[in-house]
Amino acid sequence: MELRRFTMSNPTASFSIIAHEAWGHRLSVVDNDEDTNFEDGHNKTQRLRSRLKRDFNSLPEKVLLSIFSYLPHLELLRCARVCRLWRGLSQNSKLWKQVFLRPEHHGLHVKNLDQFVPLIGHRFALSLQFIELPMELITSDVLHELANKCPNLKYLTLDFSTAMQLHDFNDLNVFPCNLKTLCICLSEVIFLEGFMRRIYTYLSSLEILQIIGTIEKSTEAEEEVYETINISKIKVQTPNLRVINLYGIFFIDDNHIETIASGCIHLECFALNFCTRVKGASFKNLLQRCGKLQCLLLQNTAIEDKYMLAADWATSSVTELDISSTDLSEQCLLDVFARMPKLTYLAVPNCDGFTDQVLDLLIDQGKLSHIRAIDLSDTVNLNFEVVATFIKRHGRQLRGISYHGNPKVGEQFWTNAIRNMKNIKIVVIGTPFGWFKKISTRIHIDQILEACAQECQNLERLELQWDQETLRWNENSSKFIDHIRIRCVKLNSLVLSDGEYYELVRSNFERADRQRVVRTTTSDQTSIVSLLKYYNELRFN
């Protein structure tokens, strides 16, 4: 039987399809053997339905568990109401290796805490490896059960972001001690030191630490910033950290980075995105002490030229760098990139200091000879001619490129460039708000789709940001849509601006039973961050 990953908008229909495929040959034999001359149509249908249900349930348990493993947990709970067999299958601990319990992030909603605690040992037990806990479930009883009944738990998320008051943790005397990853979502108003003091001694096995701030919930930085978690004490108890992600934390500054650098000699990836108080004064010591550091993400930080210039980039191991939306100057970037090792990932969108001279230097000195992914979006001082030279020289090794926001780049540029990107997986191009940027020419979208269909067989994600008014297409465009749909079989996301052309493309893919491929820029956004070496370790929410 061919197993397939199906959507769960109609789980009953999906089960019927699988059962029919698996046991259809048996039904055909039964149909031939039974004398149906004495049965009316209604009785025959009833018998077939009964036989179909019975045959599906008679599949080996291993096969049934494999089928059930494709279901999200919400659907498993619904299936548990069908019959005793399905209830037993739905409660099998092998199907509960990863448990998401945050409703705001598409997880299950636990209404009764007293009933949930016994389920940890009964349903999750030895199989549980990953669990997310919202504020309501972060209690001493739940943590005790996880520590005592789930020894294989490796990934734990504690979400305090909605907390107004903590539970009482005075009786918390045990905590999961084999964790590899711990993610803590901070609250704006709750200090966590009382809770953290209880668990510090259990964190020595951690390799990945994620602390998520409150920047997404705040309209602007608070005048008075509170340090709601003690970074220095965590560092003392976690000597084996390889990946640290401090995202959107207002109180993080260079003093905290100095503290981390002094004790995390195994650090390989350090993400400081949206930590707006980081200026870079600690980078010199960070690069000296953390010799294994390969990935440094500094999006929307306040890094300054003098600190970047003072760091010893020549002896560093940094090959993945994100300086999006920073204010570094052209001279600073020329000096830093001249000393850096060869890059495999580079993101510089909204970086005014990234100019033609900087990209020329990177090309001429061979710094991009190993590049796999690059983001050059909204670089106002970078001309498309230099980008064309880069793609011509290094396009074949690229797996992802994002270059949008330049109103001078049209279909001619991309049809030529795509010929040199035969191994590309992710492409983000176009210019939104064309009316604002005064785009005078219309973009012939058919040529771009045809180039992708002909040259990019490995394409997985494509985003075209041009507005509906900027695109040019006609009644023959369906032919080119067919080409990219048929030839780019790995394409799982095609993002377009909302409008008539989007509706045409969506209907084309839906007729081919690919309902979830075509999306709009109003609800979806494509990025190349999935090509980071440590992307899976950095994911949260």
Side-chain angles (χ1 to χ4, degrees), residues 222-325:
E222 301 289 339
E223 294 182 1
E224 201 169 354
V225 178
Y226 301 100
E227 188 168 343
T228 55
I229 193 169
N230 195 317
I231 301 294
S232 59
K233 289 186 178 180
I234 295 178
K235 184 270 302 182
V236 172
Q237 302 295 335
T238 54
N240 301 314
L241 287 177
R242 296 186 303 106
V243 178
I244 299 178
N245 183 14
L246 306 178
Y247 179 85
I249 307 176
F250 287 126
F251 63 80
I252 291 291
D253 57 23
D254 287 282
N255 293 326
H256 297 97
I257 300 176
E258 287 277 6
T259 302
I260 292 172
S262 65
C264 299
I265 60 174
H266 302 294
L267 191 62
E268 299 174 10
C269 175
F270 199 7
L272 295 164
N273 294 336
F274 297 94
C275 292
T276 54
R277 293 196 169 196
V278 173
K279 297 183 178 180
S282 56
F283 288 177
K284 183 177 181 179
N285 290 334
L286 176 68
L287 296 179
Q288 287 178 349
R289 296 169 181 171
C290 302
K292 297 180 180 180
L293 186 64
Q294 301 175 36
C295 179
L296 186 58
L297 308 181
L298 305 171
Q299 181 180 1
N300 278 92
T301 54
I303 51 177
E304 299 179 3
D305 287 358
K306 59 181 179 180
Y307 299 126
M308 292 289 286
L309 293 171
D312 187 7
W313 298 98
T315 59
S316 73
S317 302
V318 176
T319 58
E320 298 184 335
L321 181 65
D322 186 344
I323 52 173
S324 307
S325 302

Side-chain angles (χ1 to χ4, degrees), residues 388-401:
T389 302
F390 158 73
I391 294 176
K392 185 176 181 179
R393 185 174 298 186
H394 299 295
R396 286 187 175 272
Q397 69 206 42
L398 279 178
R399 298 298 182 272
I401 184 171

Side-chain angles (χ1 to χ4, degrees), residues 348-351 374-380 401-405 428:
V348 292
N350 297 291
C351 187
I374 191 167
D375 190 344
L376 303 172
S377 304
D378 296 301
T379 45
V380 295
I401 184 171
S402 178
Y403 183 40
H404 58 80
V428 185

Side-chain angles (χ1 to χ4, degrees), residues 23-176:
W23 295 90
H25 64 286
R26 289 194 178 186
L27 290 178
S28 62
V29 172
V30 172
D31 289 343
N32 293 330
D33 293 343
E34 292 182 352
D35 184 5
T36 58
N37 294 330
F38 301 97
E39 295 180 340
D40 57 23
H42 176 73
N43 291 336
K44 179 180 177 181
T45 302
Q46 291 298 107
R47 288 174 62 86
L48 289 176
R49 288 179 178 174
S50 176
R51 172 71 69 174
L52 182 61
K53 181 185 295 186
R54 187 162 62 250
D55 283 346
F56 178 77
N57 287 345
S58 64
L59 284 166
E61 181 180 354
K62 183 177 180 180
V63 176
L64 290 172
L65 282 175
S66 180
I67 295 172
F68 272 66
S69 67
Y70 285 81
L71 299 174
H73 288 151
L74 182 60
E75 302 299 339
L76 284 178
L77 296 178
R78 292 173 180 171
C79 289
R81 304 174 184 175
V82 174
C83 62
R84 290 183 180 180
L85 175 62
W86 285 26
R87 181 178 180 84
L89 290 170
S90 299
Q91 294 180 355
N92 191 300
S93 61
K94 294 180 180 179
L95 301 180
W96 297 84
K97 294 181 179 180
Q98 297 184 358
V99 180
F100 306 92
L101 300 175
R102 296 188 292 170
E104 64 273 19
H105 296 289
H106 309 290
L108 299 176
H109 177 51
V110 177
K111 297 181 180 179
N112 192 316
L113 179 60
D114 295 333
Q115 294 180 0
F116 172 71
V117 174
L119 284 178
I120 296 176
H122 172 66
R123 185 172 301 181
F124 305 156
L126 299 176
S127 297
L128 186 65
Q129 299 178 9
F130 179 106
I131 190 169
E132 292 182 345
L133 296 177
M135 177 58 209
E136 300 78 21
L137 299 182
I138 306 176
T139 66
S140 297
D141 292 340
V142 171
L143 295 175
H144 283 164
E145 283 293 297
L146 290 174
N148 296 325
K149 303 294 179 62
C150 305
N152 296 317
L153 181 62
K154 303 297 182 184
Y155 307 91
L156 176 62
T157 295
L158 303 175
D159 191 346
F160 296 97
S161 61
T162 59
M164 299 302 295
Q165 184 177 355
L166 288 180
H167 293 282
D168 183 9
F169 293 105
N170 289 328
D171 58 344
L172 180 61
N173 51 34
V174 66
F175 189 80

Side-chain angles (χ1 to χ4, degrees), residues 53 348 386 427 476 524:
K53 181 185 295 186
V348 292
V386 185
V427 177
N476 295 323
D524 291 271

Side-chain angles (χ1 to χ4, degrees), residues 31 105 119-120 125 133 152 172 180 182 239 263 323 341 350 383 393 405 415 426 439 454 467 475 493 496 539:
D31 289 343
H105 296 289
L119 284 178
I120 296 176
L133 296 177
N152 296 317
L172 180 61
K180 296 299 181 185
L182 176 63
I323 52 173
N350 297 291
N383 291 316
R393 185 174 298 186
T415 50
I426 303 174
I439 298 179
Q454 294 287 346
D467 296 325
E475 63 276 3
S493 176
L496 303 166
R539 293 178 63 185

